[in-house]
Amino acid sequence: MKYYFILLLFLAVVGKASAGVSGNFSVHGKVIDAYNEPVAGAFVAVLNTSFGVNANADGEYILKGLPAGNVSLYVSVLGYAPKTVEISLKEGENKVDITLDETVIALETVTVTAQQREQQLLDIPITMSVVSARTLDDTHTRTLEHLAAFVPGLNINIQTPHRPNFAIRGLTSDETSPTAQPRVSVYYNNVSTSRVSMAIAELYDMERVEVSKGPQGTLFGRGSQIGSIHFISKRPEQAFGGYLSAGLGNYAMKEIEGAVNLPVAKDKLFARAAGIYSYHDGYVTNTSGGKLNGKNTFGGRFSLRYLPVENLRIDLMTGYQKDDNPGTAFMSKRYPNVNGEKDIFKYEASFDEGKEWFNKRDVFGSSLDVKYYLNENNYLTSITSYYTNTVDHRWDGDGSIAPAIDMAEYNDVKQFTQELRYNFSLNSRINGFLGASYWRENVKQRYWFGPDEQYMAYLIFQSPEYMVFENGTPGYPMTAIPDLGDPAMDMLVGLPLPTCHEEESTGGAVNQAADIFADATLKLLPRLSFTAGLRATYESFLTSTEAHMLGETPSALGYLLGSYPNFFFTPVEYHEISKDFLSLTYRINLKYDFSASSGVYAGYAKGRRPNVLQFNSAGESEIMNDEKVYSFDAGLKWNARQRYWFDIGVFYHRYNDFQTSKWDNANYLVDDAGRATSYGAEATAKAALCERLDVFGNYAYIHARFDDEDSNSDRQEYAGNTFRQTPEHSFLLGFNAKLNISPGLSVIFTPTYSWKSHIWFEDSNDRQPEDPSLARLEQDAYGLLNANLAFRFNNPGFILSAFASNLLDEKYIIGAGNTGMMFGVPTYVPGAPRMAGAKLSWRF
């Protein structure tokens, strides 16, 4: 019944706007700056009325349905002085171009497109953050972990490039099944990656990063249950220009980055090419040979913009990234390395001898974005994309010199999306969009397992202390199943244990979804606006599995585990399950403006993570309920004199059928953890104290816990536990100081300090009572100090910079538990130590 109410309310909004025509006059034009450049997203309104629109990407606007006579146009945007223009409307064309003046001391102007049109942060009735290209450059932000610190409520941890953790307000994205969908939607240039193995990309030639928090299903689709992250790169422009940079640093760091913008045909065709090569040695040494936790990445992007006629814009973008990284340092605290050292912050691991550990990943994507303008604020958009992604990953699961757990994973993903959208402005009082989309994904997964059972037996028989000697060398191999005094095992006593058993499990999925959606904002009063959105989704999932022994050597331990001739994956022939689902998500928001530079908002929304179809290692299938969140958000945004910015948002989320990932009888599966609640606050502050000094900071408080009881009033397994990857408190502080040494040389210094409170790495909040010092799957509070010092030469445009991350050389971990956890030997991944370097850039 509530869905029908929301639909009727949405239609009533549209009807009210359509009926509220005050006149038949209109005015249009362009908002530009002193250099004749368009000011996208500028808000243009008729004073003392409900008529108002935002200028489009080209700075163009149109106001319709105005009464005859004299009116006052008011234009405002952060970074520019507000302007009022008096005009007299007449029959026929009324064209008014408006030039804005930049203020001498002002915060940076940032345009956002979270509501699928160009706006300012003040215009958006949701909690969101924007990290601009200037911030990325001034702070030398090159990793997603560093980026996350600028966004309160966002936490990103990356152990491997294909399994990153994106957490917004405590909710992480996990994909243990090929049908599992993300909770945080990651977009690149208006295209959803949909799968976390495709979500990591290098931060080069970026325009900005937008992070929207809370359920955003009507804006960013079905994968944005708790928020979205939108990476927007620079697009081709009419002028020739670009940059080139090269850097060196410790750990053999090498980085080359550049971009060039070319006008191919005047006012018609523009091209932009950008690329990056980033390398550093692993900061963990494997005493058996090689490095771990290193980087070797190449990325490239090519864009075309074609303007065949005045009202048609065609954007083509193609990108590629290749990661050929060394393996991840899943290190043991129980077992010493070959030097007898158990301290993982000595950054020395001892993994199996004679084996190669690696993280290989390829992502290729291409998108076609076509916009046809009916007028300045009404246009049709078509977005077509095709992405491919392969992953090849091998790791040492026990983190020791003993060859017990040797695993590998291979993924192959292909995705196609098509979206059609119509953006409209009705009588300049209601602005929104409606459309439809289709998404199809083909996923193939293969897991390989090759244990040496003469060492794995120590873990199965719960005698892990004998697997590795105290000096770090492998323990004595257990060549046969011993007599453990169990009559049920007498027939197996003396059975030889193999050293070279191999097996694999292969699976896949064909996932499809079709959506229809609409979202609009109505100006009820000059200062009061109402926003409503709906998205209806039809989903179809099909997933399959099969498991077989490889080679001719069966598992002896498989007799004990019931999985013979395999050890881990019970042999099963190919079989599949499929299921279709229908769902509806929505949002309702109210926004009240105290003035053109401050306002409050409140909203209610429903978010959803789709049902999960999965198989355990025995080949048994199950279908998990969809996870639902009901969200209330409220906040304040305030801008004073173009120099001071402050925003604060509060939220309350209720979860039903919470999907968590857990180890269950040697299976890492999605599990229904019941009900959960989170609430908190997020704040951001910026100030341009003077022409040469900006300060900034943010703070987040997140209280995210599993409820004591489920919907049946039964006590839950995780009652009172904290969501994983969720610090209760976090903050960032920084400043940007500029000193003009001479007319052609300036120095810019930008340090930042970010801090997080205690973090759990599993929803189970596990400690092992018998040895809590070894099994703490958690990280205590820690802080990271980063800094960038840049010398800028005006002519030529050279920039020489020195940068450093983790200047205080803080010791912290970015992951705990992992594969070893299901066999009682958890592993830990140390975070990066102090890294520093220098870079020379040329802008032309």
Side-chain angles (χ1 to χ4, degrees):
M1 190 68 184
K2 60 185 177 183
Y3 297 150
Y4 295 117
F5 172 75
I6 294 167
L7 180 59
L8 289 172
L9 188 60
F10 183 85
L11 294 174
V13 167
V14 175
K16 179 177 174 61
S18 301
V21 181
S22 299
N24 297 314
F25 290 81
S26 65
V27 60
H28 71 103
K30 194 170 186 178
V31 183
I32 56 176
D33 63 16
Y35 304 99
N36 205 34
E37 293 295 324
V39 182
F43 186 64
V44 185
V46 179
L47 282 179
N48 302 317
T49 74
S50 299
F51 298 101
V53 296
N54 291 92
N56 65 22
D58 297 317
E60 299 167 335
Y61 73 94
I62 184 170
L63 290 163
K64 288 186 172 183
L66 305 180
N70 298 325
V71 298
S72 300
L73 295 183
Y74 180 80
V75 185
S76 63
V77 61
L78 184 64
Y80 295 85
K83 193 166 190 175
T84 302
V85 179
E86 304 291 339
I87 63 171
S88 179
L89 294 176
K90 61 182 186 302
E91 290 191 14
E93 183 180 43
N94 292 283
K95 184 175 182 182
V96 179
D97 292 336
I98 303 168
T99 302
L100 298 181
D101 299 318
E102 291 187 71
T103 53
V104 176
I105 303 174
L107 294 172
E108 179 185 12
T109 302
V110 177
T111 302
V112 297
T113 54
Q115 295 191 137
Q116 308 302 335
R117 59 188 183 273
E118 288 75 16
Q119 294 179 284
Q120 301 298 307
L121 267 178
L122 272 170
D123 304 326
I124 310 294
I126 61 174
T127 306
M128 70 175 298
S129 302
V130 180
V131 183
S132 68
R134 193 177 83 178
T135 298
L136 294 174
D137 289 342
D138 286 349
T139 58
H140 194 261
T141 296
R142 289 297 180 269
T143 68
L144 297 185
E145 298 95 326
H146 189 186
L147 170 74
F150 292 93
V151 180
L154 174 64
N155 194 38
I156 299 177
N157 264 352
I158 300 174
Q159 293 187 143
T160 65
H162 73 291
R163 296 282 186 202
N165 276 308
F166 293 86
I168 290 181
R169 294 178 173 176
L171 211 56
T172 62
S173 284
D174 291 306
E175 295 172 5
T176 55
S177 162
T179 65
Q181 302 299 304
R183 288 157 160 160
V184 177
S185 187
V186 179
Y187 269 67
Y188 285 92
N189 296 310
N190 299 309
V191 175
S192 172
T193 62
S194 181
R195 187 155 295 276
V196 294
S197 62
M198 301 164 62
I200 295 180
E202 290 296 295
L203 297 174
Y204 66 98
D205 200 35
M206 297 298 297
E207 181 69 33
R208 65 186 181 275
V209 182
E210 300 180 7
V211 181
S212 304
K213 303 165 202 173
Q216 304 299 335
T218 62
L219 299 178
F220 288 96
R222 44 194 290 284
S224 52
Q225 178 197 4
I226 205 61
S228 65
I229 306 172
H230 192 183
F231 296 89
I232 303 169
S233 64
K234 293 185 181 297
R235 297 298 182 98
E237 300 172 341
Q238 296 196 35
F240 172 78
Y243 70 95
L244 180 66
S245 68
L248 297 171
N250 60 345
Y251 295 97
M253 188 274 281
K254 297 182 283 288
E255 185 176 279
I256 301 173
E257 178 186 340
V260 60
N261 194 92
L262 295 170
V264 180
K266 185 178 180 181
D267 298 330
K268 289 292 183 182
L269 182 63
F270 327 114
R272 188 176 187 92
I276 189 171
Y277 173 69
S278 182
Y279 173 90
H280 67 74
D281 277 348
Y283 55 84
V284 175
T285 298
N286 181 8
T287 61
S288 300
K291 300 285 187 177
L292 303 165
N293 288 14
K295 183 179 183 181
N296 184 21
T297 295
F298 164 79
R301 187 186 303 122
F302 179 73
S303 307
L304 278 176
R305 170 163 288 181
Y306 180 43
L307 307 175
V309 292
E310 184 179 10
N311 61 339
L312 180 62
R313 190 184 76 192
I314 302 173
D315 285 310
L316 175 67
M317 182 172 293
T318 299
Y320 176 73
Q321 180 166 319
K322 180 180 179 63
D323 301 316
D324 191 6
N325 300 343
T328 301
F330 295 111
M331 300 174 69
S332 175
K333 289 185 177 182
R334 175 187 289 274
Y335 301 121
N337 61 25
V338 294
N339 297 317
E341 182 62 65
K342 293 183 179 180
D343 184 0
I344 65 173
F345 295 111
K346 298 296 183 182
Y347 302 108
E348 277 193 344
S350 294
F351 288 176
D352 305 2
E353 295 180 330
K355 296 179 181 177
E356 181 186 3
W357 314 104
F358 50 81
N359 287 296
K360 301 177 186 291
R361 188 181 71 115
D362 290 78
V363 179
F364 168 83
S366 187
S367 64
L368 180 66
D369 187 333
V370 180
K371 277 187 170 60
Y372 179 75
Y373 289 86
L374 303 175
N375 59 39
E376 290 83 347
N377 294 111
N378 292 263
Y379 50 90
L380 294 165
T381 302
S382 169
I383 300 174
T384 308
S385 71
Y386 180 72
Y387 271 70
T388 66
N389 166 225
T390 60
V391 169
D392 196 3
H393 169 48
R394 188 176 181 182
W395 69 99
D396 185 321
D398 54 83
S400 76
I401 193 67
I405 307 173
D406 183 359
M407 296 195 75
E409 176 185 6
Y410 178 82
N411 292 339
D412 188 337
V413 182
K414 294 179 174 60
Q415 286 185 1
F416 169 81
T417 60
Q418 174 62 59
E419 179 175 319
L420 297 173
R421 186 173 67 242
Y422 173 57
N423 281 69
F424 57 83
S425 179
L426 300 178
N427 302 318
S428 304
R429 295 182 59 202
I430 181 168
N431 299 282
F433 62 88
L434 55 86
S437 65
Y438 173 74
W439 165 81
R440 179 184 173 92
E441 176 185 57
N442 194 312
V443 184
K444 296 179 181 177
Q445 287 184 343
R446 184 173 72 245
Y447 288 96
W448 173 89
F449 188 41
D452 182 334
E453 294 196 6
Q454 295 190 1
Y455 288 92
M456 178 61 79
Y458 287 113
L459 304 181
I460 298 301
F461 297 135
Q462 299 184 8
S463 303
E465 64 274 16
Y466 298 111
M467 194 171 79
V468 176
F469 291 131
E470 280 302 309
N471 63 4
T473 58
Y476 295 120
M478 188 184 300
T479 59
I481 294 179
D483 185 355
L484 299 177
D486 184 352
M489 290 180 53
D490 286 347
M491 63 179 296
L492 299 178
V493 173
L495 182 68
L497 291 169
T499 61
C500 56
H501 167 73
E502 296 182 55
E503 60 190 70
E504 73 172 8
S505 172
T506 60
V510 177
N511 305 317
Q512 301 180 79
D515 298 70
I516 55 173
F517 50 85
D519 193 275
T521 299
L522 167 67
K523 275 280 190 180
L524 296 170
L525 298 170
R527 294 189 178 185
L528 181 66
S529 59
F530 171 78
T531 299
L534 292 165
R535 180 177 291 261
T537 302
Y538 166 77
E539 295 161 321
S540 175
F541 298 141
L542 182 151
T543 186
S544 62
T545 188
E546 60 181 313
H548 303 283
M549 182 184 77
L550 300 176
E552 299 179 353
T553 306
S555 165
L557 294 174
Y559 280 114
L560 303 176
L561 302 174
S563 52
Y564 182 86
N566 285 350
F567 170 87
F568 190 68
F569 305 112
T570 301
V572 293
E573 295 301 318
Y574 176 90
H575 67 288
E576 62 186 40
I577 54 173
S578 62
K579 190 73 174 177
D580 300 341
F581 306 98
L582 286 171
S583 64
L584 187 71
T585 55
Y586 54 83
R587 70 166 180 152
I588 300 173
N589 297 79
L590 279 174
K591 178 174 177 284
Y592 181 79
D593 297 320
F594 296 119
S595 67
S597 57
S598 64
V600 293
Y601 62 90
Y604 180 77
K606 176 193 174 184
R608 172 184 175 270
R609 191 189 196 190
N611 308 67
V612 176
L613 284 62
Q614 64 182 4
F615 298 95
N616 61 24
S617 62
E620 299 166 337
S621 65
E622 62 179 341
I623 299 176
M624 306 302 301
N625 292 332
D626 57 338
E627 176 183 278
K628 294 173 285 293
V629 58
Y630 300 92
S631 168
F632 173 78
D633 278 79
L636 163 73
K637 298 180 182 181
W638 174 73
N639 165 38
R641 298 165 52 195
Q642 309 294 313
R643 295 176 55 181
Y644 306 98
W645 171 270
F646 176 75
D647 68 68
I648 183 169
V650 296
F651 65 90
Y652 178 83
H653 298 326
R654 289 284 296 149
Y655 297 94
N656 290 334
D657 298 310
F658 190 95
Q659 296 175 6
T660 186
S661 296
K662 60 180 290 188
W663 295 110
D664 184 14
N665 296 323
N667 300 301
Y668 194 59
L669 300 172
V670 175
D671 190 41
D672 185 350
R675 300 173 63 178
T677 303
S678 67
Y679 57 84
E682 299 150 337
T684 301
K686 302 176 184 178
L689 298 180
C690 62
E691 189 175 356
R692 297 182 177 86
L693 179 62
D694 294 348
V695 297
F696 52 88
N698 65 58
Y699 168 76
Y701 166 71
I702 303 173
H703 184 278
R705 303 285 192 275
F706 292 95
D707 292 356
D708 290 338
E709 296 180 344
D710 62 18
S711 56
N712 297 318
S713 300
D714 296 325
R715 184 168 178 80
Q716 300 191 136
E717 179 182 1
Y718 290 165
N721 285 9
T722 300
F723 291 5
R724 68 191 189 93
Q725 301 283 1
T726 306
E728 189 165 8
H729 301 275
S730 61
F731 69 81
L732 175 136
L733 295 173
F735 66 83
N736 179 271
K738 180 180 179 181
L739 175 64
N740 292 328
I741 296 178
S742 69
L745 174 63
S746 60
V747 180
I748 302 174
F749 180 52
T750 313
T752 62
Y753 181 77
S754 59
W755 182 89
K756 299 175 184 177
S757 62
H758 174 274
I759 297 172
W760 289 104
F761 289 104
E762 296 288 346
D763 288 332
S764 57
N765 294 183
D766 277 336
R767 287 190 183 96
Q768 289 184 357
E770 66 273 14
D771 198 348
S773 65
L774 295 182
R776 294 180 61 218
L777 306 184
E778 55 189 317
Q779 168 62 50
D780 291 331
Y782 69 98
L784 298 177
L785 176 64
N786 302 326
N788 187 47
L789 177 66
F791 296 85
R792 293 190 176 181
F793 301 85
N794 292 340
N795 193 15
F798 287 121
I799 303 173
L800 178 63
S801 58
F803 53 87
S805 59
N806 193 7
L807 266 168
L808 303 180
D809 207 23
E810 185 78 36
K811 304 296 189 289
Y812 64 101
I813 60 174
I814 60 174
N818 308 305
T819 309
M821 184 65 188
M822 62 180 166
F823 298 105
V825 285
T827 57
Y828 307 80
V829 181
R834 181 190 300 116
M835 291 188 171
K839 181 173 71 173
L840 179 64
S841 303
W842 173 41
R843 298 190 178 275
F844 54 88

